[in-house]
């Protein structure tokens, strides 16, 4: 919409800000250079996601000497890193933010975190809380950069869209009672800790086995900041959201898994260095063997998942396996039908859940109302809040309701 029509819209005619700003700006710039057909943009989005994943691995290798924890974390949380969503940028910015020494660099990187996902501002808050709790130090100069960026973002949104916040977040709270989803969302966030908790358990067991040979933890600051950010996000969405959370919301759990793997690597490296040259100390040998078996099991599990997924894709492309009748496939079939019918320009569609691929591939000459309001405008949000959504849809002259 930005390149083709000069407007910020999911599909004509409603302008919206229901998205995370930095990812949109990056995709728009790339599409302007390399092409903005639906197929080109879809390809560019996934290429960007994989490039950030590789950048995550490269930065891990450069900073910590190993790349595979970043790769395994990406495979363990594919919805965060590999599905073409804005969260693929967060681990890179998080690592750089935690390494930044000066307040100016922290301010710039904190602003990038915020613009990547607004809830990632919790990382900056978490770092400030950790610093005060551990050193009784208040260091807030970075907010001299982050606060104007945040206020500028809100002011631009207010001027262009009539709301300082993304309309998608407002729409998710329509009709909800604060806290009604608390238990459900807390359980979802706890489930996202499956791998971090497993890594933490392995770390505790091996450290107990190693005894005094175990070195101090190296990444307590990063783990504490990621854990506080996890608590912020869990509490916020649990109290404010009327919707569930999805896999990409759990970027803080990926960070916990990544740094716990780094702790395991650091522990294994230290135990190998302290192992006696003669007959091996039994505790050291046992600890190293436990680490090796745990790492091999994780690698095997993730490679099997990736292998099965890729094998399924190859089988589908070769025609030896039928394509699943998932919502995305049904949306594409509907789009094909629309093109076959050569419906007139201005034909208006309305669709609710799972409308992403339908709206993405819908030609710009058609109009669409996303009935959930996530990528609609403030007028529709106000209609939903007043329980007048159907009247608003009727005023648009809907030609087809898509279910």
């Amino acid at each position: 919409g930005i390149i083709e029509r000069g407007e910020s819209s999911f599909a004509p005619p409603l302008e919206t800000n229901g998205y995370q700003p930095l990812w949109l700006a990056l995709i728009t710039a790339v599409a302007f250079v390399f092409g903005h057909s639906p197929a080109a943009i879809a390809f560019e989005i996934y290429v960007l996601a994989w490039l950030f994943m590789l950048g995550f691995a490269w930065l891990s290798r450069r900073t910590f000497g190993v790349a595979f924890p970043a790769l395994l974390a990406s495979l363990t949380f594919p919805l965060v890193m590999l599905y073409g969503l804005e969260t693929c940028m967060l681990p890179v910015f998080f690592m750089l933010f935690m390494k930044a020494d000066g307040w100016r660099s922290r301010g710039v990187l904190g602003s990038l975190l915020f613009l990547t996902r607004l809830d990632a501002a919790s990382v900056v808050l978490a770092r400030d809380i950790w610093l005060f709790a551990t050193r009784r130090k208040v260091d807030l100069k970075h907010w001299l950069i982050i606060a104007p960026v945040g206020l500028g973002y809100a002011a631009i949104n207010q001027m262009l869209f009539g709301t300082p916040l993304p309309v998608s977040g407002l729409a998710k709270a329509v009709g909800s009672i604060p806290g009604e989803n608390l238990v459900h969302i807390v359980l979802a966030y706890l489930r996202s800790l499956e791998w971090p908790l497993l890594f933490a358990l392995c770390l505790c067991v091996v450290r107990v086995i190693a005894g005094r040979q175990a070195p101090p933890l190296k990444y307590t600051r990063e783990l504490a900041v990621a854990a506080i950010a996890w608590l912020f996000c869990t509490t916020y969405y649990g109290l404010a959201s009327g919707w569930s959370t999805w896999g990409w919301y759990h970027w803080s759990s990926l960070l916990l898994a990544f740094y716990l793997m780094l702790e395991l690597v650091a522990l294994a490296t230290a135990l190998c260095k302290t192992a006696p040259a003669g007959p091996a100390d039994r505790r050291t040998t046992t600890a190293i063997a436990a680490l090796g078996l745990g790492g091999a099991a994780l690698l095997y599990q993730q490679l099997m998942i990736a292998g099965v997924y890729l094998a399924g894709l190859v089988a589908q492309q070769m025609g030896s396996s039928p394509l699943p009748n998932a919502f995305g496939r049904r949306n594409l079939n509907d789009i094909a039908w629309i093109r076959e019918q050569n419906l007139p320009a201005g034909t208006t569609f309305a669709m609710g859940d799972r409308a992403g691929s339908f709206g993405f591939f819908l030609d710009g000459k058609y109009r669409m109302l996303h009935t959930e309001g996530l990528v609609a405008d403030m007028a529709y949000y106000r209609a939903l809040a007043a329980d007048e959504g159907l009247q608003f849809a009727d005023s648009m002259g809907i030609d087809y309701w898509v279910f």
Side-chain angles (χ1 to χ4, degrees), residues 141-182:
K141 286 185 179 179
H142 43 269
W143 288 102
L144 294 174
I145 297 175
I146 300 171
V149 170
L151 291 174
Y153 167 79
I156 291 171
N157 277 281
Q158 182 66 46
M159 180 177 61
L160 296 179
F161 305 106
T163 171
L165 301 173
V167 70
S168 54
L170 298 175
K172 289 176 183 177
V174 170
S176 65
I177 301 171
E180 67 176 342
N181 282 330
L182 179 62

Side-chain angles (χ1 to χ4, degrees), residues 301-377:
Q301 189 258 6
Q302 294 304 316
L303 290 178
M304 283 296 293
I305 291 175
V308 169
Y309 176 73
L310 291 175
L313 288 180
V314 171
Q316 289 170 9
Q317 294 301 318
M318 294 178 64
S320 58
S321 175
L323 291 170
N325 190 30
F327 71 87
R329 175 58 49 185
R330 294 197 298 272
N331 285 350
L332 292 177
N333 289 338
D334 291 338
I335 293 295
W337 179 86
I338 291 169
R339 290 172 178 168
E340 289 172 2
Q341 299 301 311
N342 196 25
L343 297 177
T347 299
T348 303
F349 300 87
M351 187 176 182
D353 193 23
R354 312 300 186 184
S357 56
F358 182 84
F360 181 79
F361 288 104
L362 194 67
D363 291 337
K365 65 180 181 179
Y366 300 122
R367 293 157 38 104
M368 180 180 172
L369 172 66
H370 182 230
T371 58
E372 292 173 336
L374 303 187
V375 286
D377 61 4

Side-chain angles (χ1 to χ4, degrees), residues 209-215 267 270-271 274-276 281 283-284:
I209 294 173
R212 293 182 179 179
Q213 292 176 337
L267 178 57
L271 292 177
T274 58
D281 179 85
R283 288 184 304 174
T284 302

Side-chain angles (χ1 to χ4, degrees), residues 93 97 105-115 120-121 124 146:
F93 293 150
F97 176 78
S105 57
R106 279 199 308 275
V108 171
L109 291 164
S111 299
L112 290 175
L113 282 167
F114 167 76
L115 294 174
V124 185
I146 300 171

Side-chain angles (χ1 to χ4, degrees), residues 197-333:
L197 288 175
L198 177 61
F199 297 146
L201 178 62
C202 291
L203 186 64
C204 291
V205 170
V206 175
R207 288 184 67 86
V208 169
I209 294 173
R212 293 182 179 179
Q213 292 176 337
L217 295 174
K218 295 185 66 174
Y219 307 108
T220 53
R221 182 183 61 151
E222 290 84 354
L223 288 167
V225 170
I228 296 170
W230 183 93
L231 285 172
F232 270 127
C233 292
T234 304
T235 303
Y236 170 74
Y237 289 115
L239 294 177
S241 180
W243 286 43
S244 303
T245 57
W246 293 267
W248 55 89
Y249 280 65
H250 302 143
W251 50 267
S252 54
S253 298
L254 177 147
L255 294 173
L256 289 169
F258 170 65
Y259 282 101
L260 284 166
M261 278 192 276
L262 288 177
E263 288 286 9
L264 288 168
V265 170
L267 178 57
T269 302
L271 292 177
C272 288
K273 289 180 178 179
T274 58
D281 179 85
R282 184 171 298 175
R283 288 184 304 174
T284 302
T285 304
T286 304
I288 295 173
L291 281 169
L293 286 173
L298 172 65
L299 180 61
Y300 174 79
Q301 189 258 6
Q302 294 304 316
L303 290 178
M304 283 296 293
I305 291 175
V308 169
Y309 176 73
L310 291 175
L313 288 180
V314 171
Q316 289 170 9
Q317 294 301 318
M318 294 178 64
S320 58
S321 175
L323 291 170
N325 190 30
F327 71 87
R329 175 58 49 185
R330 294 197 298 272
N331 285 350
L332 292 177
N333 289 338

Side-chain angles (χ1 to χ4, degrees), residues 4-81:
E4 291 182 347
R5 301 181 297 276
E7 62 183 25
S8 176
S9 64
F10 177 67
L14 304 181
E15 294 195 18
T16 185
N17 66 343
Y19 42 71
Q20 304 294 339
L22 185 59
W23 188 237
L24 177 73
L26 180 58
I27 292 170
T28 301
V30 170
F32 183 81
V33 175
F34 295 103
H36 56 271
S37 69
I41 292 177
F43 178 76
E44 291 155 6
I45 286 172
Y46 283 104
V47 168
L48 283 172
W50 280 79
L51 286 176
F52 272 103
M53 186 269 290
L54 293 175
F56 179 28
W58 176 84
L59 190 58
S60 174
R61 176 71 175 81
R62 182 179 176 86
T63 306
F64 306 115
V66 286
F68 76 86
L71 296 172
L72 283 179
S74 298
L75 289 172
T76 306
F77 292 86
L79 280 170
V80 175
M81 294 300 297

